[in-house]
Amino acid sequence: MIYFVGAGPGAVDLITVRGQKLLEEADLIIYAGSLVNPHLLQFAKEGCHICNSASMTLEDVLREMEQAEKKGWMTVRLHTGDPCLYGAIREQMDALDQRHIAYTYVPGVSSFSAAAAAVRKEYTLPGISQSVIITRMEGRTPVPDGQRIADYAVHHATMVIFLSTGLLDKLQTELIRGGYAEDTPAAIVYKASWPDERVFYCTVSTLVETAAAAGITRTALILVGDFLDGSYDRSKLYDPAFTHGYRKAFQ
């Protein structure tokens, strides 16, 4: 059996209980070494075979999985964050389906959640933003028509931008071209939840200079939106004048 496991955003204790248990039981662990905290491998049992997929191709990964299946081993494919976001797991699962190899998927804590914790903010605020757009800049890998940064910026929703720290000059231009004001609050969250986590607050128009001054070139999320500001409307959920299914409004 193959288990796709979300490793969490970085901190060792942010892997799920289920994920840790599977790591402890695995005969083979294939982990994304360029992103996953290597300290998670401390949970591997003695004799567990461990592969770093950073230098492997899809075919290499599948070969290891197939060999493990022939030996009757249990395999954990350890991906950073939650594999549903930029995890490239669909192509692995489809290949396993073709080979009639059973697998299951264990979700993890995404770095976009860890980034919100790092800035101590809520992405969705009454009167400010009720939608979160998770996306990335177009680089060597293209994005579909209508799904570029400027297309999404027009909504003025909260944006969490992955895989774009090395493209900040283009990102900054696209955010403004799409409709964000230059003084829209932004934040660069470097290695959210890791011991060396750092947060740099700025505006949309100062993303490039802020990253350059801090020496940030990779492994960061870009947060954009007025949720980073201090003003918002009070939630109705805990408003004493608001009735819902579990509480009547005070008269």
Side-chain angles (χ1 to χ4, degrees), residues 204-224:
V204 165
S205 65
T206 59
L207 279 167
V208 172
E209 65 180 82
T210 302
I216 303 300
T217 60
R218 60 191 298 273
T219 325
L221 289 182
I222 311 302
L223 312 183
V224 177

Side-chain angles (χ1 to χ4, degrees), residues 179-203:
Y180 280 112
E182 292 189 3
D183 61 353
T184 301
I188 301 170
V189 183
Y190 173 76
K191 297 187 74 170
S193 87
W194 290 69
D196 52 346
E197 169 191 285
R198 288 187 289 167
V199 177
F200 304 93
Y201 295 97
C202 57
T203 64

Side-chain angles (χ1 to χ4, degrees), residues 57-75:
T57 64
L58 172 62
E59 289 73 20
D60 294 333
V61 170
L62 292 169
R63 190 177 303 112
E64 289 288 342
M65 290 178 174
E66 286 184 288
Q67 291 174 358
E69 284 296 298
K70 290 175 182 177
K71 296 175 184 176
W73 287 3
M74 188 269 270
T75 297

